Amino acid sequence: MTSHRPFCTCWPGATLWLTGAPGAGKTTVMTGLARRLEAAGRRVHVLDGDEQHTLFGTDLAPGRVRRAADVQRVGLVAEVLARNGVLALVAVTAADATQTDAVRRRHTRSATTCLEVHVATGSDRADDPYAAPARCDLTLPAYRQSAEESVTELMNLLKRRELA
């Protein structure tokens, strides 16, 4: 038997999209944030890029094409969750801004908040297909602060936006 904790339904749904190069610490920060939000009674759902293949299966498309499709799939699920009052926490690397821009447009069409947070590594890797976003709602300098400090910055962002 699973016990269910009551969640506050007084907050609007939203998507908080953590983007950054592979290995930047997105999952670690997102997991810490989810724990803190759940402890406060916030209804959250985690969508982790490392687990997306389990959710959606694998395509036969080449790497970059598959990753773009994965971003759109996760973006759709996040938007549906957010539109229905859940705070969707997403940690997925998008190779370029066109992918996350499409996710933002989907959220805009449904009048649902979508915040993008760049988890910065402090160095650019030439072999990495990731390009940091030109505009985002917050940049976390994960290379010079602890995961807990990053979680606190995210909580402050959510509070400023009246989402927590």
Side-chain angles (χ1 to χ4, degrees):
M1 176 179 243
T2 304
S3 65
H4 296 280
R5 294 184 352 190
F7 290 100
C8 175
T9 57
C10 53
W11 301 107
T15 295
L16 180 64
W17 192 290
L18 275 64
T19 185
K26 297 179 298 293
T27 300
T28 301
V29 171
M30 182 186 59
T31 302
L33 178 63
R35 278 193 214 111
R36 192 181 293 183
L37 288 164
E38 287 172 343
R42 185 68 161 95
R43 192 167 178 212
V44 301
H45 188 85
V46 172
L47 296 165
D48 189 354
D50 294 338
E51 298 173 355
Q52 69 192 4
H53 297 297
T54 303
L55 292 172
F56 302 118
T58 57
D59 292 334
L60 298 176
R64 190 171 181 85
V65 173
R66 186 199 74 245
R67 278 193 305 274
D70 288 344
V71 167
Q72 295 314 304
R73 290 171 181 152
V74 171
L76 170 62
V77 172
E79 186 272 328
V80 170
L81 288 167
R83 182 171 17 110
N84 286 284
V86 176
L87 181 57
L89 304 178
V90 180
V92 173
T93 298
D96 61 60
T98 61
Q99 296 169 6
T100 51
D101 286 347
V103 170
R104 279 185 185 261
R105 282 192 304 276
R106 175 185 301 281
H107 282 71
T108 299
R109 284 192 302 271
S110 68
T112 306
T113 300
C114 181
L115 303 174
E116 186 175 2
V117 175
H118 176 219
V119 181
T121 61
S123 65
D124 294 325
R125 290 177 258 185
D127 62 339
D128 193 348
Y130 176 75
R135 67 174 179 91
C136 58
D137 297 283
L138 178 67
T139 297
L140 294 174
Y143 59 96
R144 70 171 188 234
Q145 68 185 27
S146 70
E148 190 58 33
E149 289 170 316
S150 292
V151 168
T152 297
E153 281 195 53
L154 289 172
M155 285 296 294
N156 290 337
L157 171 65
L158 292 172
K159 288 175 183 175
R160 281 192 308 274
R161 300 295 178 97
E162 299 180 352
L163 296 168

